[in-house]
Amino acid sequence: MRPARPAAVQPAFVLHHYDWSETSLILDLFTRESGRVAVAAKGAKRPYSQLRAVLLPLQRIQVSLSKPTLTEGGEVQTLRGAEWAGGNTLPGGAGLFSGYYLNELLMKLLARHDPHPQLFDAYADTLAALAQRDDTAALRAFELRLLAELGLLPDLSVVTATQRALDPASRYQLSADGGLVPASHDSGALRGDTLIRLQAALLHGSGDALRAACAAELPLLKSALRGLLHHHLGHQALRTRALLVDVQKLLDT
């Protein structure tokens, strides 16, 4: 009998975890090679388990997994091993809420077992930016990258209906149904030159370039992307967003 082949090691992030038993967890992992996967971490809750200090959110880890097995809840893999892969520490303050917000977006918008290696890299890059500073532009850049990866973002350099190039001096609106359309009025609309730079940065793939392009019109971009995400989330409320609003109210009082 041939010895069992060792499980392949791949980079991953813990998006969320659920209690499975008194000693074990079910993890929602975002992996570079396999996408979002459900994983059983047996014994991870035991006081002496080495996994307790490794299976933390917003930290890059290396994992080895078993082949998927079918359960009542779908395909679940078993965690064979995990170790910290180094990198940035947990972001603090608003950055921590922002990291959990990214996790919730991924959990609600990504299908299981649908690899997005470029999105994985963008997520890791965004967490690094959040660890260094509270950067609103980093959130908008990741939202754009996520929508583009899932095919939910129109080409930002042309009017969707006509495929005509944008006028840099004119303003446009993002519509969930109609794509990019000329604005009927300037209020809440984005400038053509900003949209053209955003599209160029998306195509280039540079996180720094995309964040710089987002910084040009942050309040308007936040409103436009919030409407687009709200539509594709099926009007589900994001718990992290609601929690951040509640915390801000407490701070204001």
Side-chain angles (χ1 to χ4, degrees):
M1 180 182 296
R2 293 181 179 180
R5 295 176 63 183
V9 176
Q10 60 178 313
F13 287 92
V14 176
L15 298 179
H16 194 58
H17 66 76
Y18 316 83
D19 288 335
W20 182 29
S21 67
E22 291 185 0
T23 61
S24 302
L25 297 169
I26 295 292
L27 307 173
D28 208 320
L29 294 185
F30 183 30
T31 69
R32 196 176 193 278
E33 281 79 17
S34 306
R36 191 168 71 90
V37 296
V39 173
K42 298 179 180 179
K45 292 170 61 179
R46 291 193 177 112
Y48 54 82
S49 172
Q50 295 181 345
L51 294 175
R52 287 169 62 93
V54 175
L55 300 177
L56 300 174
L58 311 180
Q59 296 289 291
R60 189 181 183 113
I61 59 177
Q62 295 280 355
V63 299
S64 55
L65 308 175
S66 70
K67 291 183 178 180
T69 56
L70 191 62
T71 69
E72 291 182 0
E75 286 190 341
V76 177
Q77 295 171 256
T78 299
L79 183 68
R80 298 300 189 194
E83 60 182 22
W84 184 55
N88 299 284
T89 59
L90 285 171
L96 185 61
F97 281 103
S98 296
Y100 285 126
Y101 167 70
L102 300 187
N103 287 1
E104 190 173 6
L105 283 180
L106 291 172
M107 288 177 62
K108 290 188 173 180
L109 288 174
L110 285 186
R112 292 196 187 278
H113 304 287
D114 184 15
H116 289 277
Q118 291 183 337
L119 183 62
F120 181 94
D121 294 341
Y123 173 80
D125 180 60
T126 303
L127 291 182
L130 292 174
Q132 296 170 9
R133 57 192 179 279
D134 176 18
D135 194 343
T136 306
L139 294 182
R140 304 291 81 83
F142 183 78
E143 290 169 345
L144 282 166
R145 182 69 67 190
L146 174 61
L147 289 166
E149 279 282 327
L150 298 181
L152 303 176
L153 187 73
D155 186 331
L156 299 180
S157 64
V158 298
V159 176
T160 302
T162 63
Q163 292 297 293
R164 290 184 178 178
L166 302 190
D167 174 6
S170 297
R171 289 190 174 268
Y172 301 86
Q173 292 177 314
L174 266 174
S175 165
D177 298 321
L180 197 61
V181 299
S184 55
H185 50 80
D186 287 349
S187 178
L190 293 157
R191 283 179 55 92
D193 54 356
T194 298
L195 291 162
I196 292 168
R197 285 196 297 270
L198 289 172
Q199 182 64 31
L202 281 168
L203 292 174
H204 185 271
S206 166
D208 287 337
L210 187 55
R211 287 188 286 271
C214 288
E217 292 191 76
L218 277 176
L220 294 178
L221 188 59
K222 178 180 179 179
S223 178
L225 293 177
R226 177 168 292 183
L228 203 56
L229 286 166
H230 186 62
H231 174 83
H232 291 297
L233 285 166
H235 307 290
Q236 302 175 74
L238 290 170
R239 290 183 296 174
T240 45
R241 183 180 289 166
L243 180 60
L244 185 57
V245 170
D246 290 341
V247 169
Q248 189 60 55
K249 288 179 179 178
L250 287 173
L251 292 175
D252 292 341
T253 56

